[in-house]
Amino acid sequence: QKEVEQDPGPLSVPEGAIVSLNCTYSNSAFQYFMWYRQYSRKGPELLMYTYSSGNKEDGRFTAQVDKSSKYISLFIRDSQPSDSATYLCAFTSGFQKLVFGTGTRLLVSP
Amino acid sequence: GAGVSQSPSNKVTEKGKDVELRCDPISGHTALYWYRQSLGQGLEFLIYFQGNSAPDKSGLPSDRFSAERTGGSVSTLTIQRTQQEDSAVYLCASSPGHPTPVMNTEAFFGQGTRLTVV
């Protein structure tokens, strides 16, 4: 079993749609749950992180963590063409390496 | 510098040659990571340095790969006897790393070195 599973997509949606991106993981030691965004030919950038379970909102973005199910989600409201990118989930237990998912490619059409 | 700097940005090498990839992290960051990303693939972990602790080398795919970090700053990733399957973008990242674990969650990535083995 892979440590992190993430659907590679691509996921195509029209502008204004609500987008749901998900990852599952197997390592119970993970305590920090992150979403990175990567534009073509650029390095990934941190969007937001969550510690332990619960929800976190930042503008149009909401991150959810369900530790009991080992499942995390990122919701994007009112999606924009500029949101078109690859979204990678990432995990760490603390002072350890960051483990990334394979990334989901999102395409938002005008 | 303002961000993580990697050099060279592109490298074409012949199969069997050795290559060295350089990473200059953000000043003061104690954590440094190397990942590689093949076309359309996710980030494959290679190695992680955290302060003066022994590096986590668990992701290095073979003994042809090695990395060092001198003086807690600049890092060099060396690939010996390159093979075609080594072709990928090699990404370096750094993070503050301390004093709390949350400081490890935001990794700042460089633009990467695109390695092509012909």
Side-chain angles (χ1 to χ4, degrees):
Chain A
Q1 183 186 8
K2 278 188 175 180
E3 200 168 21
V4 176
E5 300 272 6
Q6 183 175 15
D7 188 328
L11 178 61
S12 296
V13 300
E15 183 175 356
I18 296 174
V19 174
S20 172
L21 304 166
N22 312 291
C23 287
T24 58
Y25 65 97
S26 59
N27 190 339
S28 301
F30 289 149
Q31 293 290 327
Y32 295 87
F33 307 90
M34 295 145 281
W35 287 95
Y36 280 74
R37 179 173 60 194
Q38 184 176 24
Y39 291 111
S40 182
R41 293 187 172 264
K42 300 284 189 182
E45 294 179 315
L46 180 69
L47 263 181
M48 52 199 306
Y49 80 90
T50 308
Y51 172 68
S52 195
S53 284
N55 293 0
K56 187 172 185 178
E57 189 174 317
D58 184 1
R60 297 184 295 111
F61 298 87
T62 299
Q64 283 187 352
V65 174
D66 181 348
K67 289 186 72 176
S68 62
S69 301
K70 294 190 176 66
Y71 187 88
I72 71 170
S73 301
L74 177 71
F75 298 96
I76 307 174
R77 291 184 299 280
D78 187 27
S79 56
Q80 302 295 310
S82 58
D83 295 329
S84 297
T86 297
Y87 291 79
L88 302 107
C89 54
F91 304 80
T92 184
S93 57
F95 292 115
Q96 303 294 330
K97 67 187 179 189
L98 298 180
V99 179
F100 284 85
T102 54
T104 299
R105 189 174 169 217
L106 173 67
L107 302 170
V108 182
S109 54
Chain B
V4 176
S5 177
Q6 291 187 247
S7 60
S9 54
N10 283 284
K11 176 74 176 178
V12 180
T13 190
E14 291 181 352
K15 178 180 172 182
K17 300 277 190 181
D18 298 352
V19 295
E20 284 190 351
L21 311 180
R22 178 187 168 101
C23 173
D24 279 277
I26 294 172
S27 178
H29 281 191
T30 63
L32 186 146
Y33 313 79
W34 283 98
Y35 292 87
R36 73 176 174 183
Q37 189 170 36
S38 302
L39 188 63
Q41 301 298 310
L43 296 179
E44 178 187 1
F45 168 74
L46 296 176
I47 190 168
Y48 166 57
F49 296 91
Q50 171 60 277
N52 295 321
S53 302
D56 179 351
K57 304 180 181 180
S58 61
L60 295 178
S62 77
D63 58 8
R64 295 188 296 106
F65 288 73
S66 63
E68 63 176 20
R69 187 177 186 192
T70 53
S73 182
V74 171
S75 177
T76 302
L77 176 69
T78 302
I79 309 173
Q80 296 178 311
R81 305 181 302 281
T82 51
Q83 304 294 312
Q84 287 186 327
E85 60 263 29
D86 299 334
S87 296
V89 176
Y90 288 80
L91 289 162
C92 175
S94 70
S95 66
H98 75 288
T100 58
V102 73
M103 303 300 284
N104 228 27
T105 58
E106 183 163 18
F108 296 83
F109 283 82
Q111 296 284 66
T113 294
R114 186 172 298 273
L115 175 67
T116 304
V117 182
V118 298

